[in-house]
Amino acid sequence: MVDDSLILKLVSQLSGKSFDPESEGGPFQYFVADGLEIGKKKYRLIWLLEKDQIYIGVVNAYRRR
Amino acid sequence: MNMGFPSESELKKIRKKLEKAQGTLMLSPNATPLERFRWDICQKFVIYKQEHELSVDEMAKLLGTDKAKVSKILRHRIESFSTDRLLEHLQILYPDTKLRVA
């Protein structure tokens, strides 16, 4: 089940890595990471960053089948 | 902090749009040293693009290749790239690149 705890584990896997945005709109950049693994299951995470703000906005997270 | 998070309708649109996006392929926890090395090379391309504020088109011109190939590298979808080719491109961006066996 994709709950907050799992999402936090997915987001933590982004640490120390760089990503190219898939899309941009206004002050937002949108990113997609595919194939994140937790417990042999793969997930897809979509998040945003807002210009001049320090937070990660999780847009979607789901298991890949 | 003044977060201006997108509206729910904007998020709905972006979710639909990004469903089809390839996205960056993450490194498996079981990656071999070579796979890790190749993934790290791709990271260098992403960092270069960000630091120099380049578009994919501009990077393609700089590397003497096409936009589609650059896009694949930036997304770490490099099955069809030899390590040699990746390193050739990397040396265009970072001429002082050195390889070392640890």
Side-chain angles (χ1 to χ4, degrees):
Chain A
M1 190 177 90
V2 179
D3 57 13
D4 288 354
S5 166
L6 187 112
I7 289 173
L8 284 172
K9 287 178 188 168
L10 292 174
V11 171
S12 74
Q13 291 189 33
L14 307 179
S15 180
K17 299 173 181 70
S18 299
F19 297 88
D20 195 49
E22 286 291 335
S23 183
E24 301 192 45
F28 302 105
Q29 288 183 315
Y30 298 92
F31 302 81
V32 179
D34 205 10
L36 293 151
E37 280 190 38
I38 295 178
K40 296 191 179 176
K41 292 176 187 164
K42 294 199 180 195
Y43 297 87
R44 188 166 161 99
L45 181 69
I46 301 171
W47 72 98
L48 65 81
L49 296 177
E50 184 180 353
K51 190 173 163 66
D52 299 329
Q53 301 295 330
I54 304 172
Y55 70 90
I56 295 171
V58 176
V59 174
N60 208 351
Y62 51 90
R63 189 174 160 200
R64 297 287 260 144
R65 303 212 179 254
Chain B
M1 185 190 317
N2 186 24
M3 287 168 31
F5 214 70
S7 67
E8 194 49 48
S9 66
E10 284 164 358
L11 286 174
K12 200 173 170 182
K13 276 187 217 164
I14 201 77
R15 282 184 194 115
K16 191 166 180 179
K17 180 181 174 183
L18 294 182
E19 253 176 40
K20 302 166 199 163
Q22 280 202 310
T24 298
L25 186 61
M26 295 300 286
L27 191 62
S28 165
N30 302 317
T32 65
L34 180 58
E35 286 167 339
R36 192 166 298 275
F37 176 62
R38 285 165 54 88
W39 203 88
D40 287 346
I41 292 173
C42 295
Q43 284 283 285
K44 292 290 193 189
F45 286 84
V46 176
I47 291 165
Y48 189 95
K49 181 177 179 278
Q50 288 172 351
E51 284 178 350
H52 293 83
E53 295 181 0
L54 297 177
S55 67
V56 176
D57 274 330
E58 286 165 338
M59 267 199 97
K61 282 190 184 124
L62 185 59
L63 295 172
T65 189
D66 60 78
K67 192 176 161 181
K69 288 192 171 76
V70 173
S71 189
K72 284 190 179 197
I73 293 172
L74 293 171
R75 273 143 198 68
H76 302 47
R77 296 187 180 268
I78 51 171
E79 306 79 15
S80 60
F81 290 81
S82 67
T83 306
D84 281 352
R85 176 51 59 100
L86 289 172
L87 288 170
E88 274 172 25
H89 285 324
L90 185 69
Q91 285 193 295
I92 294 171
L93 305 181
Y94 300 101
D96 294 335
T97 299
K98 287 180 174 52
L99 302 182
R100 192 184 304 166
V101 177

